[in-house]
Amino acid sequence: MTYIDADEAPLTNTGQIKIYGEDAFAGMRKAGKIAAAALDMVAEHVKVGVSTAALDKLIFDFGMDHDAIPATLNYKGYTHSSCISINHVICHGIPSDKTLKEGDILNIDITYIVDGWHGDNSRMYVAGAPKRIAERLINITYESLMRGMAAVKPGATTGDIGHAIQSYVESERMSVVRDFVGHGLGRLFHDAPSIFHFGQPGEGETLAEGMIFTIEPMVNIGKPHSKILADGWTAVTRDRSLSAQYEHSIGVTKDGCEIFTLSPKGYGCWPYE
């Protein structure tokens, strides 16, 4: 795979890895901060009896109040401002009038476009109190993201990221979903390179200062296999085991990475207090 100065690249996914400058990093900071603030905001509204459609409406309204356009709204025919994935739904869960029940775990995935830049992030939430195994899943998924980001630096590879995530998750007797990946980001919602959450050290694409992408591991209690439901969007675990995900948008710096989607309130892993 080749690298290209983002200022000289067309606004399409050409398969080349775009290298961004400080102006782009500034744009990503602004978009990421608003996207992360939306996840902070929604935390207090995740309760038993609340519908995911109501949460999605809050996310739309928050975006409108902050001059931020929900990137998923009308994206390839998708008609909501977020993806909300409950229990055995891995990702791309569609908000609906279905209400949350005691112990439900859910991932809320928000991407906003702010001044042309995409801020993409997701977190896990719980309605009421989770079962112990669900809480363990959430903690392991969050830690896997932290370990993946810790592997990022110029000269490392995408395989180093994947290996850091996979080796930790499997040591905890859980599995990493193979069918969905992180991705390049910037003025495009999805761009090169793909960031696999499994792999071998030294394999894959070499990381360079100025790259921007997401890391978003999806972890299952059971086996890693997934399937897409008839709606064309919702991905679920084939064995109906619980699944969790955390996601950050990051940029590669000279000695590591900058996280654009850190919580303004300082929230890390659930619970958000």
Side-chain angles (χ1 to χ4, degrees), residues 35-47 50-60 72 78 80-87 89-95 100 104-112 119-127 138 216 243-248 261 270 272:
L39 289 180
D40 286 355
M41 174 276 298
V42 81
E44 65 182 274
H45 299 280
V46 176
K47 299 176 181 178
V50 173
S51 72
T52 54
L55 298 176
D56 187 68
K57 179 63 164 57
L58 288 169
I59 291 162
F60 173 81
T72 56
Y78 192 81
H80 299 273
S81 299
S82 62
C83 295
I84 303 180
S85 304
I86 304 173
N87 294 333
V89 178
I90 296 171
C91 61
H92 304 158
I94 301 173
L100 298 174
D104 278 345
I105 66 170
L106 57 153
N107 175 270
I108 300 180
D109 191 338
I110 298 173
T111 304
Y112 286 132
D120 188 359
N121 61 171
S122 79
R123 293 183 208 156
M124 293 301 298
Y125 301 82
V126 180
I138 290 169
E216 46 186 294
S243 186
Q245 179 188 19
Y246 274 91
E247 175 185 15
H248 274 310
T261 46
W270 180 90
Y272 308 119

Side-chain angles (χ1 to χ4, degrees), residues 113-137:
I113 307 170
V114 180
D115 298 333
W117 298 98
H118 289 74
D120 188 359
N121 61 171
S122 79
R123 293 183 208 156
M124 293 301 298
Y125 301 82
V126 180
K131 294 181 179 179
R132 183 172 297 179
I133 187 63
E135 186 171 6
R136 182 168 175 267
L137 169 66

Side-chain angles (χ1 to χ4, degrees), residues 137-251:
L137 169 66
I138 290 169
N139 290 336
I140 288 169
T141 306
Y142 179 80
E143 177 63 18
S144 76
L145 172 60
M146 296 299 104
R147 292 185 182 219
M149 292 192 299
V152 174
K153 61 182 179 180
T157 68
T158 54
D160 294 337
I161 298 171
H163 180 72
I165 293 168
Q166 180 186 9
S167 59
Y168 170 69
V169 169
E170 293 181 352
S171 75
E172 296 292 339
R173 301 180 301 282
M174 295 188 181
S175 65
V176 176
V177 174
R178 305 302 205 263
D179 296 332
F180 301 95
V181 299
H183 51 88
L185 193 70
R187 291 196 176 276
L188 293 180
F189 193 176
H190 296 97
D191 205 352
S194 294
I195 306 296
F196 294 91
H197 305 116
F198 58 94
Q200 295 299 317
E203 295 185 351
E205 307 301 335
T206 301
L207 305 183
E209 184 177 357
M211 290 173 63
I212 294 175
F213 51 83
T214 70
I215 304 178
E216 46 186 294
M218 287 151 258
V219 176
N220 298 345
I221 286 177
K223 295 180 179 180
H225 310 113
S226 68
K227 66 177 181 180
I228 306 296
L229 299 185
D231 60 33
W233 288 102
T234 308
V236 301
T237 56
R238 283 191 173 273
D239 59 8
R240 296 189 65 82
S241 63
L242 293 178
S243 186
Q245 179 188 19
Y246 274 91
E247 175 185 15
H248 274 310
S249 297
I250 68 170

